[in-house]
Amino acid sequence: MLAAAVRAAPLQEGDSMMPALLPLILGSLCPPPPPVSSGVEPNRDRLIEIVYQLASPEFEGRRGAGGRAAGDYLIGQLQRLGLDPAFGDRFDQEFTAGDRSGRNIAAMLPGADPERTDEWIILSAHYDHLGIRGGRLFPGADDNASGVAMVLEVARCLVDRDERPGRGILFVFFDLEEEALLGSRYFVQHPPVPLDQIRLFVTADMLGRSLAGIAGDALFVMGTEHAPGLRPWVVEAAEGLPLTVGVVGADLLVIDRSDYGPFRQRKVPFLFFSTGESPVYHTPDDVPQTIDFEKLASATTLIGRVVLRSASADTMPAWTSERSPWIGEAVAIRGVFELLLEHQEELGIPGAQRALIRGMLNRISRSIEEGTITPEDRTAMLRVSQLVLFTVL
Ligand SMILES: [Zn+2]
């Protein structure tokens, strides 16, 4: 995850969110959507093995020579799965930007539908981290070995299925995300398939902890504001999983904080998954021993279901530039505000901000009761969220 001058993080909601959100989202749909595709069962031991491997001292915080070694490891994993190289006969895409050089790693699983050979879904995660600084290893277990493990496990599950989905899937690992998204910026300028053939871009950055260390089972997803048709897919993909899904707008983060940025700018529909910035974000303490692997496994299942459904659906939700407010976002942010107030002492939230949160909670609750939120109220809600999360994180 890219550090921000103004830091803010995605939002979440308490246990009551799913029942509250489902009728709100599904009630507006006609006819009802088809059932969730199953068939994604990640292996928890594999997730653990991959995260420990990537965070090990051997890969030196995935910068420089250690970053090269991590890239070689990923190429080996993709070859073992029997996937095709994405860049001609190569799995890697070397690039330089100013005085930095890096390489993206990618493989493809061609679609089974001969009518759709020109339609692709991207599932991605950045694999670089901060390296060794001041003699200390930054292992980046959550940021973003967790996301890489998710992509590799979803890839394995899809390869192991008897039936290949109709659309092709590109599995991409970006380099130098931590350096102003250099890898994904290069990728969109030199994509292995034309950008207008990408029906959905999915990325994940940090899937194994919780927002501010207080958000428990929350998983946030951003991007549905530009493709609202994806919203029920995400909610349904969470069925039966011990996750509380907070569907919020990416504009909550003020700037593009991860690799969805270059795709958003080119109007490619995207989904960005994250469990949020934790207290060990960008510290040497981001170690595998404290990753919540149960949560990572659940997030992997959810994201895998969304990818499989997207690769199989008859039609894909298209990009829409206009961001219409949706009440599910207010429900998610109300949950975060309630958590923040609950933990206000340990988080050191100043008195003035506590009052601000309480005032905004009343306003949001009214909107939720009415079942609609105005653009002005949404903006006010995001501003308060950004201010408080900047203080807390
Ligand atoms: Zn980061």
Side-chain angles (χ1 to χ4, degrees), residues 25-71:
I25 289 173
L26 301 182
S28 62
L29 279 176
C30 182
V36 175
S37 311
S38 57
V40 180
E41 285 166 23
N43 180 325
R44 191 172 164 273
D45 291 339
R46 273 292 290 155
L47 293 169
I48 293 173
E49 185 188 324
I50 296 165
V51 170
Y52 269 81
Q53 180 66 44
L54 286 169
S56 70
E58 180 190 345
F59 291 148
E60 299 173 352
R62 303 187 299 282
R63 270 289 161 107
R68 292 291 304 182

Side-chain angles (χ1 to χ4, degrees), residues 1-3 126 128-130 143-144 177-178 205-206 281-282:
M1 183 94 147
L2 183 65
H126 78 86
D128 65 302
H129 193 55
L130 302 175
D143 185 8
N144 186 27
E177 184 269 356
E178 303 285 8
D205 200 348
M206 308 198 292
Y281 169 77
H282 282 198

Side-chain angles (χ1 to χ4, degrees), residues 12 17 98-99 153 164 168 233 252 281 289-290 316 385:
Q12 84 96 194
M17 179 182 171
D99 60 346
E153 259 308 274
R164 254 188 307 142
W233 294 15
L252 175 66
Y281 169 77
Q289 286 79 5
T290 50
M316 282 299 292
S385 307

